[in-house]
Amino acid sequence: MKFPNDSIGFVLNDLINNDIDMSLVYKIDFRIDFESWPLPDEARIVIKQIYPDAVTIDPAEEELADGIDVD
């Protein structure tokens, strides 16, 4: 298989090279960084319409979950 020469292609090639069965369905977690925060409510609504299972996490919450001291 030929994948794009970008970060997505790198991940897909890595999966193939590690014998991942591409005929199966997998849940994939990924992160999207936005240029500005907080994310407007309209943007959250559009994301949820396209990806109903999507979750948005405010940066401070994510930093706390990762154990990073934000003070």
Side-chain angles (χ1 to χ4, degrees), residues 31 33 37 41 47:
R31 176 181 175 160
D33 293 323
W37 203 263
D41 289 337
I47 291 169

Side-chain angles (χ1 to χ4, degrees), residues 30-34 36-49 51-62:
F30 62 93
R31 176 181 175 160
I32 300 172
D33 293 323
F34 293 91
S36 63
W37 203 263
L39 191 61
D41 289 337
E42 297 82 19
R44 290 180 197 257
I45 290 168
V46 170
I47 291 169
K48 290 297 270 182
Q49 288 173 340
Y51 303 104
D53 295 330
V55 176
T56 57
I57 302 171
D58 292 333
E61 292 174 21
E62 182 178 25

Side-chain angles (χ1 to χ4, degrees), residues 1 3 9-22:
M1 272 185 210
F3 296 112
F10 175 78
V11 170
L12 292 171
N13 277 313
D14 192 45
L15 292 172
I16 293 288
N17 291 333
N18 285 292
D19 298 322
I20 299 297
D21 186 348
M22 296 297 269

